[in-house]
Amino acid sequence: MNGVIAAGHRVMEIYRQGFDVELKDDQSPLTQADMASHHALLALLNSLFPDTPVLSEESEPVAFAIRREWQRYWLVDPLDGTKEFIKRNDEFTLNVALVDDGVPVFGIVHAPALSEGGITWWGQVGEGAFKCEGDKQRRITVSQLPDPDHKPWRVAGSRSHGQPKLKAFCDALPAHSRISMGSSLKFCLVAEGSADLYPRLAPTSEWDSAAAQAVVVAAGGEVLEAHSLKPLRYNQQDSLLNPFFIVCTQRDPRWQQALATALT
């Protein structure tokens, strides 16, 4: 984890001193911070785990014919929430996940700008999840879904993606409140018990979600494909795009019906 935090320090240096913004082929933004974090995290993982492949958002594409042979690999988003980084709202993260047979089993989500020294969420499936701030670390777990007649459900959502479907989902829910936040921090809200649901009904890539999914599952929650309600899996096809999904503390027919409504 210290190596991820060190990469976050480099990101913060660039964040404070100013940066240029380029556009990648898919028109998504790229900054020096994305690349600095990419190189730092690849160097870290290659030195510690030289026999385990690493796939980063900023890596050269790896053909599925090669990837499909990977039993275990590291999946990295060097800077999740580049748009938030550019907006300077502090809601960006560094994401590192270990994927085993299509399942994220370990993840680190580091938010370097949220406090002095940053905040880190990490989890290992079967072992638990934790939140670290400064020299303090505490175990985290998801909260039980409350009775909405007495306590509104807390629904996390993106600041800038998937608003029509998100609105349709929320309109079909019982009493609830909305929390808007950038990057994989929305998963972390669910993992630590600060939110109950996070529907993602807009495009994402596998590196956007894997690390935070491991944290959520380690904390007792689930990350489910929106249509099938099966656990979200990785490296199953040529495309690295995720299907729509929902992060939840537990299943409930009321939000499941709302989700079906939003998807139609």
Side-chain angles (χ1 to χ4, degrees):
M1 189 162 65
N2 289 340
V4 178
I5 293 172
H9 291 331
R10 177 61 184 134
V11 167
M12 290 304 297
E13 290 174 3
I14 297 169
Y15 191 53
R16 296 184 183 110
Q17 73 188 23
F19 48 85
D20 297 323
V21 180
E22 303 175 15
L23 290 178
K24 296 190 283 189
D25 291 342
D26 64 0
Q27 298 304 296
S28 61
L30 178 72
T31 71
Q32 297 101 309
D34 295 78
M35 297 310 301
S37 178
H38 164 75
H39 291 304
L41 293 174
L42 258 63
L44 171 70
L45 294 171
N46 287 330
S47 66
L48 295 176
F49 308 97
D51 298 325
T52 305
V54 182
L55 180 64
S56 164
E57 179 179 6
E58 308 309 336
S59 297
E60 291 297 321
V62 180
F64 183 54
I66 296 173
R67 285 191 285 110
R68 71 192 304 174
E69 302 300 322
W70 294 352
Q71 170 69 29
R72 291 166 66 91
Y73 67 101
W74 292 98
L75 183 57
V76 175
D77 191 341
L79 187 59
D80 182 35
T82 301
K83 291 181 180 178
E84 314 306 327
F85 182 89
I86 293 167
K87 294 175 185 175
R88 294 184 176 276
N89 68 10
D90 296 348
E91 296 175 359
F92 52 88
T93 60
L94 287 68
N95 300 342
V96 177
L98 180 63
V99 180
D100 189 348
D101 193 25
V103 178
V105 295
F106 174 81
I108 299 173
V109 177
H110 177 56
L114 288 189
S115 72
E116 185 67 31
I119 301 175
T120 306
W121 295 260
W122 70 275
Q124 184 168 341
V125 175
E127 300 295 330
F130 303 85
K131 182 178 181 179
C132 307
E133 187 171 0
D135 59 358
K136 297 180 180 179
Q137 174 172 284
R138 64 179 178 90
R139 183 180 288 269
I140 57 173
T141 60
V142 300
S143 59
Q144 291 295 306
L145 195 63
D147 178 350
D149 290 335
H150 296 94
K151 184 179 179 182
W153 291 351
R154 299 160 299 172
V155 180
S158 172
R159 290 196 185 282
S160 51
H161 299 285
Q163 295 303 318
K165 286 185 172 61
L166 176 60
K167 182 179 185 303
F169 174 79
C170 290
D171 286 348
L173 288 177
H176 65 277
S177 60
R178 288 271 301 274
I179 306 168
S180 295
M181 188 165 285
S183 73
S184 57
L185 291 169
K186 298 178 286 294
F187 287 83
C188 297
L189 293 179
V190 176
E192 71 179 25
S194 298
D196 302 303
L197 296 167
Y198 164 37
R200 180 65 187 206
L201 307 178
T204 57
S205 295
E206 294 187 359
W207 42 69
D208 295 316
S209 57
Q213 178 171 339
V215 175
V216 168
V217 174
E222 294 188 274
V223 181
L224 308 171
E225 293 184 10
H227 286 90
S228 69
L229 295 182
K230 294 180 179 179
L232 184 63
R233 298 195 68 203
Y234 294 76
N235 201 31
Q236 303 297 298
Q237 59 184 355
D238 182 65
S239 173
L240 288 167
L241 290 176
N242 285 324
F244 293 166
F245 59 82
I246 186 164
V247 183
C248 62
T249 61
Q250 63 192 78
R251 304 189 189 211
D252 185 283
R254 290 166 291 184
W255 69 250
Q256 290 176 221
Q257 182 56 52
L259 184 60
T261 299
L263 293 173
T264 58

